[in-house]
Amino acid sequence: MNKKIDVNNLSQQYPLIKELQNLNYVFWANPKKQQSQPQSNALSMAMVYDAEARLKRFSSYIKEVYPITRISDGIIDSDVKEIEAMKKLIEGRRGLTIPGKLMLKCDHSLPVAGSIKARGGIYEVLTYAEKLAISHGLLTEQDDYAKLHDESFRNFFRQYKIAVGSTGNLGLSIGIISAQLGFQVTVHMSADAKRWKKALLRKKGVEVIEYDSDYSEAVAAGRAQAARDSMCHFVDDENSKELFLGYAVAAVRLQKQLQQAKVSVDAEHPLFVYLPCGVGGGPGGVAYGLKQIYGDDVHIFFGEPMQSPCMLLGMMTGLHDEISVADIGLTNVTEADGLAVGRASKFVGTVMEPVISGCYTVDDSFLFRSLKAMYEQENIFMEPSAHAGVYGPIELINRGMDYIRSNGLEDKLDNAVHLVWSTGGDLVPHELRQHYLQTEI
Ligand SMILES: *Cc1c(COP(=O)(O)O)cnc(C)c1O
């Protein structure tokens, strides 16, 4: 971790480092991408389907404790929709054409936790709860899981603890579901975490510990707490397979949604997906599932703030978590709090090597212009982090044409779907929304 980084040497090998340091827009095409995901024992599509089945088992419980999920039968998921007015606005402002359709995956409106963290975070806590209950003979997979709402189960789970380190949204999702089940839960929050997120958690009975330092140290503190206590489960945002699988289930569900919407994805109809990236687990899990399903027909890009391009830096240099954005002189300070991560997950970066098409950077001022435009054009509110995805199609047209040509996609672009993965926003309080809508930087 603390190996000395020879930045001069690295910059010669990877000239894009200079561009990152100069805070220019950077588009990095991944040279290790393959046509399909190589099979491995560590992760498989069978595990993703297994995760989907687990969420199904829990659906009667979720429906019981979160009545808002009744319309989806206790399944926590979001819509996909075309955003034509936003597309027109971008094209008009930028004087470019985005060939094909522009669509939005609305994870900003995921019920219960209001961000993509509702996928991985809730899944991991449910997995832990199920394991405990089954191993103590209190539950079988054939039971109606609505019974977990009984006071006896809450008393049982109260003996156990859950800890997590977070910039905000993961803490929200873990805190909300853990407190609901009855666990004692501690969220270690980094300095950039927003005040309203801490307040909301405390209101739900979650212990929030605040740090002056950044995300990586909040995670380290959580890990240390759990290591001292055998009754404490640590949700490891940097390494957790459960989180990753919970996110990956999104791909299976998206495939069905696109089929229902009669959107084709095949060799003649490429699917481009743009995901905001922090430590990597959320976008990585989704990307993993999509690549398994669509192979060479899906082209996945991760967007990161100019001051926090940790995944781009880690994957490009192959150093993953051995290099941080501070090593090249960046601050890791951004209004996109969900993406304020200086060091990417090595687990995710390694899995992503054959999978993603590339990464790009975006500046904070775009995030706020996009936030306002999306609200005015589509009446959709997404938090700043989520707008890192919106920049993807613009970046592809501006700086990604080599990628298009070398993948033989020029004459297929008119059939393309550009899917922007909106990652958060629904829980942002009214006053802060107003503030964001008026922010110009
Ligand atoms: C956490 C988060 C992301 C990125 O997910 P990672 O797993 O950290 O890469 C993107 N957008 C929002 C709103 C988030 O909260």
Side-chain angles (χ1 to χ4, degrees):
M1 273 279 202
N2 295 319
K3 235 193 285 173
K4 186 97 185 76
I5 302 288
D6 182 348
V7 177
N8 282 338
N9 196 9
L10 267 184
S11 307
Q12 273 165 18
Q13 216 178 332
Y14 304 102
L16 284 183
I17 290 182
K18 264 263 153 329
E19 304 291 313
L20 292 174
Q21 290 171 320
N22 292 338
L23 304 179
N24 290 330
Y25 279 91
V26 170
F27 178 87
W28 171 72
N30 174 17
K32 295 184 183 160
K33 179 178 89 96
Q34 294 176 20
Q35 298 204 330
S36 59
Q37 167 92 52
Q39 297 305 316
S40 86
N41 293 331
L43 286 168
S44 68
M45 214 44 198
M47 293 177 193
V48 179
Y49 287 116
D50 188 52
E52 195 198 17
R54 178 164 294 109
L55 289 169
K56 258 241 151 75
R57 290 198 290 280
F58 272 98
S59 62
S60 61
Y61 171 74
I62 295 292
K63 194 159 57 174
E64 180 83 19
V65 295
Y66 301 115
I68 192 170
T69 65
R70 270 186 211 148
I71 45 162
S72 57
D73 244 339
I75 295 296
I76 295 173
D77 214 315
S78 72
D79 293 341
V80 187
K81 63 166 148 190
E82 198 170 349
I83 44 171
E84 230 179 321
M86 185 65 181
K87 178 172 184 259
K88 290 223 170 71
L89 182 102
I90 293 171
E91 291 176 330
R93 276 191 187 167
R94 303 238 161 206
L96 51 73
T97 306
I98 301 171
K101 261 189 200 167
L102 184 62
M103 302 187 83
L104 192 72
K105 177 61 179 162
C106 299
D107 276 6
H108 59 274
S109 67
L110 277 176
V112 183
S115 82
I116 189 170
K117 303 300 190 307
R119 298 185 181 279
I122 290 179
Y123 175 72
E124 174 151 353
V125 174
L126 295 180
T127 304
Y128 180 54
E130 184 185 59
K131 197 173 105 196
L132 287 172
I134 289 179
S135 68
H136 286 76
L138 303 171
L139 183 73
T140 72
E141 288 189 9
Q142 287 68 45
D143 287 352
D144 179 350
Y145 280 28
K147 76 183 206 184
L148 293 169
H149 191 35
D150 289 353
E151 203 48 39
S152 62
F153 275 96
R154 291 179 53 82
N155 287 334
F156 169 68
F157 291 130
R158 195 160 292 128
Q159 306 164 260
Y160 297 91
K161 295 178 198 149
I162 291 181
V164 64
S166 170
T167 62
N169 284 342
L170 183 64
L172 277 183
S173 104
I174 299 287
I176 289 170
I177 186 71
S178 302
Q180 181 64 52
L181 280 156
F183 289 108
Q184 298 177 52
V185 49
T186 307
V187 177
H188 299 264
M189 285 243 183
S190 56
D192 35 65
K194 296 277 180 268
R195 210 178 319 145
W196 67 268
K197 295 184 181 175
K198 302 174 197 169
L200 192 153
L201 283 173
R202 288 189 171 120
K203 215 172 85 192
K204 293 194 182 280
V206 174
E207 180 186 24
V208 178
I209 303 182
E210 300 177 51
Y211 295 84
D212 292 334
S213 47
D214 78 356
Y215 163 87
S216 301
E217 293 191 33
V219 172
R223 192 179 283 126
Q225 179 204 353
R228 290 190 298 269
D229 185 345
S230 64
M231 299 290 272
C232 183
H233 175 78
F234 176 58
V235 177
D236 190 337
D237 200 13
E238 294 172 327
N239 299 299
S240 165
K241 204 151 103 176
E242 263 62 53
L243 278 179
F244 191 86
L245 291 170
Y247 291 123
V249 170
V252 178
R253 304 222 188 114
L254 179 73
Q255 183 187 28
K256 291 196 190 113
Q257 285 181 309
L258 291 180
Q259 279 165 355
Q260 277 162 7
K262 306 232 180 322
V263 173
S264 313
V265 180
D266 53 42
E268 295 307 313
H269 300 82
L271 173 65
F272 294 87
V273 183
Y274 310 95
L275 291 137
C277 181
V279 72
V286 173
Y288 175 83
L290 289 175
K291 188 73 178 174
Q292 291 272 346
I293 291 170
Y294 295 120
D296 215 18
D297 303 329
V298 67
H299 306 271
I300 302 163
F301 296 91
F302 289 177
E304 295 177 289
M306 282 185 177
Q307 292 285 4
S308 311
C310 64
M311 189 57 82
L312 194 165
L313 189 62
M315 286 188 73
M316 178 173 71
T317 60
L319 290 171
H320 299 297
D321 63 355
E322 286 166 24
I323 189 166
S324 89
V325 300
D327 291 328
I328 63 164
L330 297 177
T331 61
N332 191 28
V333 173
T334 167
E335 282 294 324
D337 49 331
L339 313 181
V341 177
R343 216 181 268 281
S345 159
K346 178 178 192 167
F347 156 58
V348 176
T350 311
V351 175
M352 288 300 104
E353 275 175 1
V355 171
I356 64 168
S357 297
C359 299
Y360 59 86
T361 61
V362 54
D363 75 327
D364 279 17
S365 72
F366 173 84
L367 305 179
F368 287 101
R369 284 197 303 279
S370 175
L371 185 149
K372 187 158 187 263
M374 189 70 82
Y375 187 72
E376 289 172 354
Q377 300 301 313
E378 305 282 351
N379 197 23
I380 291 174
F381 179 85
M382 296 153 52
E383 64 187 86
S385 298
H387 289 272
V390 182
Y391 195 68
I394 302 169
E395 184 67 10
L396 186 72
I397 305 300
N398 281 343
R399 267 167 289 266
M401 287 318 275
D402 279 347
Y403 176 87
I404 298 291
R405 278 187 287 273
S406 61
N407 284 271
L409 296 168
E410 295 117 302
D411 54 350
K412 298 172 184 167
L413 283 184
D414 285 336
N415 303 332
V417 167
H418 302 271
L419 181 69
V420 168
W421 209 282
S422 169
T423 47
D426 255 19
L427 295 189
V428 176
H430 177 76
E431 308 80 65
L432 191 55
R433 289 183 186 211
Q434 295 312 313
H435 171 72
Y436 282 152
L437 284 164
Q438 284 155 22
T439 300
E440 283 175 34
I441 51 176

